[in-house]
């Protein structure tokens, strides 16, 4: 692994919320092309971890390098990292006052300075990639949850990020729509995208994850290939968790 | 001998209505500009600016408009400024409107779900761009009904300007009423004029509300 292949490098990263420690000395390395699944019980710090990666939360100690940029409190480092990372949220966070295609055009135009035509062409390409080119001129509220989440994926991809961060992208969806979003994510992973996904969809993990990370109480307590993690988890916490989640 | 309540009196009252609308328009424009500044100060990350704006809103909202008018009117003459009373009144109305609009608009901006800001930031949009393209357009939809409601209040409140000598609709009605001794007819006419100005605005606000919630 060369230094330029590193997408995330975290060393002893800690995060506190008003005295409560949500992340404890996190060490994590992610390289280009990897798909990482992060799982763990509620409140274990999964969201906090991936939100630190694009500075939606700021870590207080340790060293965090994302896409080759050391994240500090400095505005430039935060802006630079956000330009290279894409994020998909549990609740989509689409912009309701803009059409689907405008949702996908705003950042390329305002952040990258693309022309309107260029941005439109890019957006159309990514909407095709998530299989909803025909919805381009609708408003988010006119789409199903699954379609909205695929728009959110296209919107993030339209900035051509080095890494895609997913925070429980399917947990707000009706069961019949989970499939279409996971399929899109599987395709992305197979095309070689670098992805860090907080999800409890263990079939997704089995299909495409290079590594599963298990968190508990702000620590990463297991990290390994999905086969090993599912077949013989090392810790009692992971065993309990898997028992619950796999019924 | 009292005069008849005639068409000429109605015309005179219409000139008063002109002043009323003029005052309201000045207050809306002045109040909107100052209100925008206050809103930006309130939502800025600079705690000093935010506190100053908060204090201003607190004080002006807590003062009766009539008192604000007296202060602006007598205060300026007292300090030796030779500005027209109308200017002083326009300024007072603008300052008054700004305190309410600043508060309504801050509330609207803060009621845009936090996920919208995060969605914008995650895409790399700067604070200013997120504000301009994502937050403010949504805040405008939220703020429109209360803003229009406040405008209607403001139009009616311009009647207070009569106490410092502006011959707006209420003042012309007083004059006509004294001359004709037909207070009921005169004030009903005045009420009708106020209604004809405010009602379309209220209707507009209703339809806007319906359209935005659809
Ligand atoms: N903004 C905040 N202020 C205070 N505490 C917070 C904040 N955000 C998260 N926490 C706390 O940090 C801990 C980790 O939260 P986090 O959201 O990262 O958990 P999670 O693993 O994503 O859980 P879930 O599966 O429920 O989404 C929790 O105890 C939570 O209460
Ligand atoms: Mg979470």
């Amino acid at each position: 692994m060369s230094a330029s292949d590193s997408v995330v490098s975290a060393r002893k990263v800690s995060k506190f919320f008003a005295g409560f420690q949500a992340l404890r000395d996190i060490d994590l390395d992610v390289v280009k092309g990897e798909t990482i699944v992060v799982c763990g019980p509620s409140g274990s710090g999964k969201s906090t971890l991936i939100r630190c990666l694009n500075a939606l939360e700021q870590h207080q100690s340790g060293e965090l390098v994302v896409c080759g940029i050391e994240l500090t409190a400095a505005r430039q480092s935060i802006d630079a990292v956000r330009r290279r990372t894409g994020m998909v949220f549990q609740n989509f966070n689409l912009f309701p006052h803009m059409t689907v295609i405008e949702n996908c055009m705003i950042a390329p135009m305002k952040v990258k300075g693309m022309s309107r035509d260029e941005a439109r062409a890019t957006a159309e390409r990514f909407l095709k990639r998530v299989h909803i080119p025909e919805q381009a001129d609708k408003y988010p509220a006119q789409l199903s949850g699954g379609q909205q989440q695929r728009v959110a994926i296209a919107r993030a991809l339209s900035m051509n990020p080095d890494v895609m961060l997913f925070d429980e992208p399917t947990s707000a969806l009706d069961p019949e729509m989970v499939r279409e979003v996971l399929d899109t994510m599987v395709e992305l992973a197979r095309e070689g995208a670098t992805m860090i996904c907080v999800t409890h969809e263990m079939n997704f993990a089995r299909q495409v994850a290079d590594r599963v990370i298990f968190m508990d109480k702000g620590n990463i307590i297991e990290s390994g290939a999905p086969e090993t993690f599912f077949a013989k988890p090392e810790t009692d916490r992971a065993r309990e968790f898997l028992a619950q989640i796999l019924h | 001998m009292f005069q008849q309540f005639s068409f000429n009196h109605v015309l005179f009252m219409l000139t008063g209505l002109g002043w009323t609308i003029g005052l309201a328009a000045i207050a809306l424009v002045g109040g909107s500009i100052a209100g925008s500044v206050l809103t930006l100060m309130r939502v800025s990350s600079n705690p000093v600016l935010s506190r100053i704006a908060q204090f201003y809103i607190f004080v002006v909202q807590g003062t009766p408009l009539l008192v604000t008018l007296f202060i602006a009117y007598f205060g300026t003459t007292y300090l030796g400024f030779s500005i027209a009373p109308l200017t002083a009144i326009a300024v007072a109305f603008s300052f008054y409107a700004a305190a309410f609009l600043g508060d309504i608009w801050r509330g609207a901006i803060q009621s845009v779900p936090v996920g919208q800001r995060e969605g914008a930031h995650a895409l790399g949009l700067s604070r200013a761009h997120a504000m301009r393209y994502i937050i403010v357009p949504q805040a405008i939809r939220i703020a429109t009904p209360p803003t229009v409601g406040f405008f209607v209040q403001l139009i009616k409140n311009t009647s207070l300007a009569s106490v410092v000598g502006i011959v707006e609709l209420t003042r012309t009605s007083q004059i006509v009423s004294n001359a004709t001794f037909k207070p009921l007819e005169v004030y009903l006419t005045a009420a009708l004029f106020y209604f004809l100005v405010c009602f379309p605005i209220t209707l507009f606000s209703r339809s806007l509300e319906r359209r935005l919630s659809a």
Side-chain angles (χ1 to χ4, degrees):
Chain A
M1 164 192 143
S2 77
S4 64
D5 274 350
S6 166
V7 175
V8 173
S9 158
R11 294 287 168 272
K12 286 186 162 308
V13 168
S14 291
K15 165 76 191 168
F16 299 83
F17 289 111
F20 170 81
Q21 191 164 4
L23 294 180
R24 297 168 187 273
D25 295 337
I26 296 289
D27 285 326
L28 176 66
D29 281 288
V30 179
V31 297
K32 219 168 140 192
E34 266 192 305
T35 298
I36 311 285
V37 162
V38 182
C39 63
S42 179
S44 54
K46 309 179 295 292
S47 297
T48 307
L49 174 61
I50 73 164
R51 288 163 59 85
C52 280
L53 301 183
N54 67 352
L56 285 184
E57 304 287 356
Q58 285 200 292
H59 63 288
Q60 275 96 15
S61 65
E63 188 196 70
L64 183 53
V65 180
V66 179
C67 304
I69 301 146
E70 179 167 6
L71 262 175
T72 63
R75 201 68 238 170
Q76 301 99 294
S77 78
I78 294 174
D79 287 343
V81 165
R82 286 179 179 165
R83 220 168 292 146
R84 289 172 174 72
T85 52
M87 184 174 247
V88 175
F89 301 85
Q90 183 172 349
N91 297 309
F92 326 139
N93 293 352
L94 293 176
F95 307 134
H97 60 299
M98 294 180 176
T99 61
V100 161
I101 193 139
E102 286 168 349
N103 264 275
C104 301
M105 289 164 64
I106 182 81
M109 285 169 66
K110 297 305 163 192
V111 180
K112 286 190 165 170
M114 272 190 200
S115 73
R116 181 161 269 279
D117 290 342
E118 227 182 323
R120 178 172 289 274
T122 313
E124 276 167 356
R125 198 167 78 238
F126 286 109
L127 287 175
K128 217 168 278 166
R129 189 150 156 199
V130 299
H131 312 298
I132 38 174
E134 71 285 356
Q135 312 289 357
D137 296 316
K138 289 195 181 162
Y139 284 90
Q142 296 170 290
L143 306 186
S144 73
Q147 291 172 323
Q148 290 190 47
Q149 195 57 298
R150 285 185 287 149
V151 172
I153 293 173
R155 180 176 76 175
L157 288 174
S158 67
M159 283 296 286
N160 199 16
D162 295 344
V163 55
M164 286 283 283
L165 309 171
F166 293 83
D167 191 0
E168 305 207 31
T170 58
S171 11
L173 295 176
D174 292 336
E176 69 271 19
M177 292 167 186
V178 170
R179 182 84 261 145
E180 63 189 64
V181 171
L182 287 179
D183 285 348
T184 308
M185 291 170 61
V186 167
E187 283 171 29
L188 263 184
R190 295 220 163 114
E191 286 162 22
T194 313
M195 298 167 49
I196 304 175
C197 315
V198 176
T199 180
H200 290 161
E201 294 293 338
M202 291 304 143
N203 282 328
F204 172 79
R206 281 205 188 86
Q207 269 181 285
V208 290
D210 297 297
R211 224 176 338 144
V212 175
I213 282 171
F214 179 73
M215 291 186 70
D216 188 39
K217 301 196 177 79
N219 298 293
I220 293 179
I221 62 173
E222 290 200 31
S223 167
E227 307 82 50
T228 348
F229 177 71
F230 291 121
K232 31 182 190 343
E234 289 162 19
T235 59
D236 288 342
R237 288 299 288 137
R239 264 190 292 278
E240 275 167 43
F241 173 78
L242 285 172
Q244 264 175 22
I245 210 157
L246 304 171
H247 311 300
Chain B
M1 194 61 218
F2 293 116
Q3 303 166 14
Q4 285 296 319
F5 181 37
S6 70
F7 183 64
N8 278 341
H9 289 124
V10 175
L11 284 183
F12 178 54
M13 285 171 69
L14 278 174
T15 64
L17 180 63
W19 279 108
T20 293
I21 292 172
L23 264 183
I26 292 170
L28 296 193
V29 174
S32 297
I33 294 167
S36 306
V37 174
L38 276 180
T39 304
L40 287 179
M41 287 170 72
R42 270 301 257 123
V43 301
S44 90
S45 52
N46 182 329
V48 178
L49 286 181
S50 174
R51 279 294 170 79
I52 292 173
Q54 199 177 357
F55 180 74
Y56 174 87
I57 290 170
F58 196 64
V59 169
V60 176
Q61 284 198 355
T63 312
L65 177 55
L66 193 54
V67 174
T68 314
L69 285 179
F70 281 143
I71 293 172
Y73 182 66
F74 296 114
T76 41
T77 20
Y78 181 78
L79 291 174
F81 292 116
S82 58
I83 58 170
L86 182 67
T87 315
I89 299 316
V91 167
F93 270 106
S94 299
F95 277 42
Y96 170 79
F100 284 88
L101 293 176
D103 215 24
I104 291 172
W105 295 346
R106 172 205 49 86
I109 283 179
Q110 289 178 347
S111 64
V112 174
V114 64
Q116 291 293 308
R117 197 163 291 132
E118 292 186 345
H121 287 159
L123 283 166
L125 290 168
S126 65
R127 277 177 65 101
H129 277 157
M131 202 50 142
R132 175 155 165 218
Y133 297 106
I134 310 302
I135 309 299
V136 168
Q138 295 184 61
I140 287 176
R141 295 184 182 201
I142 298 170
T144 301
T147 302
V148 175
F150 175 73
F151 282 1
V152 169
Q153 292 293 327
L154 192 66
I155 291 169
K156 292 185 285 186
N157 274 336
T158 53
S159 65
L160 289 175
S162 65
V163 302
V164 288
I166 308 289
V167 191
E168 45 62 71
L169 179 54
T170 297
R171 183 76 191 116
T172 55
S173 311
Q174 254 171 353
I175 294 168
V176 173
S177 167
N178 288 344
T180 60
F181 206 64
K182 291 271 190 305
L184 187 64
E185 290 86 335
V186 172
Y187 286 115
L188 279 176
T189 309
L192 180 70
F193 285 174
Y194 277 115
F195 179 79
L196 288 178
V197 173
C198 295
F199 187 61
I201 300 176
T202 308
L203 274 188
F204 171 72
S205 159
R206 290 273 158 76
S207 81
L208 211 60
E209 224 170 318
R210 231 173 297 122
R211 222 175 328 142
L212 294 181
S213 66

